[in-house]
Amino acid sequence: MAQALVRFLANQYVERDGIEQRFFGGCWGIFGHGNVAGIGQALHERPDDLRYYQARNEQAMVHAATGYARMRDRLATFACTTSIGPGATNLVTGAAVATVNRVPVLLLPGDVFASRAPDPVLQQLEFPSAGDVSVNDTLRPVSRYFDRITRAEQIIPAALAAMRVLTSPADTGAVTLALPQDVQVEAFDVPDDFLAKRTWHIERRLPEAAAIVRAAELLGVAKRPLIVAGGGVIYSGATETLRKWVEATGIPVAETQAGKGALPFDHPLSLGAIGVTGTLAANRVARDADLVIGIGTRWTDFTTASKSAFQDPHVRFVNVNVAELDAHKHSGLALVGDARSTIDALAGWTYTVEPAYRDKVERLAREWAAEVDRLYALGHAPLPAQSEVIGAVNEVAGPRDVVVCAAGSLPGELHKLWRTRDPKGYHVEYGFSTMGYEIAGGLGVKMAAPDRDVYVLVGDGSYLMLAQELVTAVQERLKIVVVVVDNHGYASIGGLSRSLGSQGFGTHYRYRTTGSLGLDREGPQGDTLPIDIAANAASLGAASERVRTVSELRAALTEAKRVERPYVVTIETDRYESVPAYESWWDVAPAEVSGLAEVRASRERYENARKSARRHLRPH
Ligand SMILES: Cc1ncc(C[n+]2csc(CCOP(=O)(O)OP(=O)(O)O)c2C)c(N)n1
Ligand SMILES: [Mg+2]
């Protein structure tokens, strides 16, 4: 059965706009008794069908697959094979990342014997009240399709269902086919048609004409329209179509994390990032917008600044999205369809904003550019600020190069400050914001786009969580440039904790001090744990150096351009110097009762701030 599955996967293709490509770039895997004799044997016997890539951690291999799939606009991905037990459960976080971000990955965890003969087999969970449950059931809620193959011939409908979901722009995410280890090696009669080349056509669906008319009517009376561009704009390849439409109409564009790059940063109608991590320009325009056109966005809490971003009492939403789930959010007028085709349809209606509105938008965008200049050149001492590190990487990176990030304070600062010049140049995983995605995801990005330089920006906390795929980068001779921003702990959460009255508790890397009250207080500098990230990276086989200043960082990045192997640059930054918020709010609730005055004060501020959160229930 595993042999048939490998041959099937190798023969899957997708086609969009007349361009056909192979869907699976290969198969990541770590072997154990649950897959070595099944999928492992099949990959070994036919190495040309599906190339095998060895990873260090199962979670990381899903991140690599996700990075690859996102970079390829979801038109290609990887399969990931694991053993049973811990190998399989290590997939859960990776699966959640893929599913939350709507990115296809195929997971093939081994499973316990379908025969139940060896019972309990090594690493089997014995679930006392149900015989058909294994640890793989933890993958159900994070998979858009889940199946367990208990008889060999079941692989035929299961594999077809898996491909339907993986290639569906609306339904895609992680797909899990759990493969009991005895079934993997079973023989069965495989129909030739199952193994034949199969092409999945990716449609560009249009909303019904009446819905387009309703949206055009709303736009016709709008005075302060705003487009919020999400990841769907980029996946759909709609950036050029969007640019033409906004130039014809004068409607400004704000971007979500996944949508950043929808317009080049210096386009006069680009307001940049929106929401909690948004620019002053975007957040000001959002506050007063009377019509918000969301295109390919899931409307996350960060995008809407916990539903406080849009304050016009009569604001209405039009949502262009392939997924009904998203198209109906905020009581929006749902345009269920592909971003590019739907923008084309909307562009058939003539509309232009008033000159005063356009002038205001363009002025705000110019003012924001000056703010970025300021933050790039802050000259903070004695340690540089993170914004200066971002500025240095941005200056050295070429226009088509890619920045990769996921968690900590970097994603918010990158969202505000990174100057994106190419639709695929900004790759921040902020759907699940997973510490540890960065290096593994960056590896996948590099595999998908070998002709671009990939700059992974990663905090020390994320680095320590999952850095070992550096070894895989060395193995595959893939050059990624990793910039580790070392502030000795979880600076972002430390700041959040302080703002909530909890004094940064548990967010520094410190020796445990005796007699502590349990409160994490500022201790002497020497208390910081002596972690040498540069030495750690070198020990994994990467070129590695520690730099002290921004000019040393520039020199290191210039050197890294020349070197053809993974290159890690570590720089210490000031943990308390951060880019401010720009008229936005994030709903994180402090305790209603506390013995600490700081917590009580923060609760009071919170009660006040949350009055700005809205419900957006207005029917159409
Ligand atoms: C796997 C995981 N665990 C916990 C969190 C919550 N969290 C968000 S940021 C952060 C700290 C990240 O530290 P670091 O990478 O050093 O970045 P910094 O905050 O210092 O910028 C934590 C713990 C998370 N996002 N992901
Ligand atoms: Mg840190």
Side-chain angles (χ1 to χ4, degrees), residues 386 408-409 458-462 485-492 507 509 573 575:
Q386 186 167 269
S409 56
V458 59
D460 51 305
S462 276
V485 179
D486 188 0
N487 51 30
H488 310 294
Y490 308 148
S492 52
T507 60
Y509 298 154
T573 57
R575 67 177 287 140

Side-chain angles (χ1 to χ4, degrees), residues 59 63 93 386 406-411 413 429-430 432-438 457-465 484-496 506-507 509 533 573 575 586:
Q59 177 184 326
H63 293 336
T93 299
Q386 186 167 269
S409 56
L410 275 163
E413 297 198 356
E429 187 284 289
Y430 215 62
F432 212 48
S433 188
T434 310
M435 290 171 72
Y437 175 84
E438 297 88 345
L457 281 180
V458 59
D460 51 305
S462 276
Y463 178 91
L464 290 174
M465 204 170 273
V484 185
V485 179
D486 188 0
N487 51 30
H488 310 294
Y490 308 148
S492 52
I493 304 299
L496 181 62
T507 60
Y509 298 154
I533 287 176
T573 57
R575 67 177 287 140
W586 182 24

Side-chain angles (χ1 to χ4, degrees), residues 32-372:
H33 67 95
N35 62 338
V36 67
I39 295 280
Q41 188 280 330
L43 290 168
H44 177 233
E45 189 171 333
R46 296 176 66 98
D48 295 336
D49 280 357
L50 213 53
R51 185 158 168 213
Y52 166 67
Y53 292 85
Q54 186 185 359
R56 268 71 223 167
N57 174 299
E58 290 86 356
Q59 177 184 326
M61 70 196 193
V62 189
H63 293 336
T66 303
Y68 181 89
R70 173 167 165 184
M71 196 63 196
R72 296 285 300 269
D73 287 331
R74 314 192 295 189
L75 299 171
T77 188
F78 273 80
C80 300
T81 169
T82 77
S83 189
I84 71 166
T89 51
N90 269 356
L91 292 173
V92 174
T93 299
V97 172
T99 292
V100 168
N101 286 285
R102 320 264 167 87
V103 173
V105 294
L106 177 62
L107 309 181
L108 304 171
D111 211 326
V112 299
F113 277 74
S115 71
R116 313 262 175 91
D119 187 25
V121 73
L122 175 67
Q123 301 169 319
Q124 179 167 341
L125 172 79
E126 291 178 271
F127 197 67
S129 59
D132 61 349
V133 168
S134 81
V135 294
N136 286 339
D137 288 270
T138 58
L139 286 158
R140 283 184 190 269
V142 288
S143 298
R144 297 304 302 267
Y145 180 80
F146 178 97
D147 210 340
R148 181 178 280 118
I149 311 303
T150 54
R151 292 178 54 154
E153 60 268 37
Q154 288 171 355
I155 197 63
I156 294 173
L160 292 169
M163 282 306 300
R164 179 190 63 73
V165 173
L166 288 168
T167 59
S168 157
D171 288 348
T172 197
V175 165
T176 301
L177 300 180
L179 307 174
Q181 60 187 92
D182 51 346
V183 182
Q184 286 181 46
V185 300
E186 246 172 57
F188 78 113
D189 286 329
V190 186
D192 288 342
D193 279 349
F194 179 63
L195 301 178
K197 178 179 169 186
R198 193 175 298 262
T199 303
W200 301 80
H201 300 279
I202 314 287
E203 289 178 25
R204 292 191 177 277
R205 276 197 201 162
L206 267 173
E208 69 160 357
I212 297 282
V213 173
R214 283 196 288 273
E217 282 168 3
L218 281 181
L219 183 59
V221 296
K223 296 280 177 226
R224 296 173 305 281
L226 169 67
I227 291 169
V228 175
V233 171
I234 292 172
Y235 296 139
S236 155
T239 54
E240 263 308 290
T241 310
L242 177 71
R243 187 183 59 76
K244 287 190 189 128
W245 189 44
V246 303
E247 285 173 2
T249 57
I251 307 173
V253 176
E255 294 167 335
T256 71
Q257 284 275 12
K260 192 168 159 84
L263 278 189
F265 80 96
D266 53 356
H267 192 283
L269 291 168
S270 169
L271 297 166
I274 186 170
V276 180
T277 53
T279 68
L280 187 61
N283 287 345
R284 284 261 170 94
V285 172
R287 185 188 60 198
D288 299 332
D290 59 354
L291 181 71
V292 181
I293 305 167
I295 310 180
T297 171
R298 310 165 44 222
W299 288 121
T300 73
D301 194 42
F302 262 64
T303 300
T304 68
S306 297
K307 299 205 172 82
S308 70
F310 306 104
Q311 289 296 332
D312 184 295
H314 305 296
V315 63
R316 287 176 174 278
F317 292 82
V318 171
N319 299 320
V320 178
N321 209 297
V322 278
E324 286 186 14
L325 171 68
D326 298 315
H328 286 275
K329 286 175 179 171
H330 296 327
S331 311
L333 172 64
L335 295 184
V336 181
D338 167 71
R340 199 181 81 184
S341 305
T342 308
I343 297 171
D344 262 338
L346 288 168
W349 298 74
T350 306
Y351 171 82
T352 40
V353 300
E354 285 165 12
Y357 182 61
R358 191 171 178 141
D359 289 349
K360 179 182 163 190
V361 161
E362 296 193 0
R363 176 177 52 76
L364 283 166
R366 280 194 305 274
E367 286 170 9
W368 178 253
E371 175 69 348
V372 177

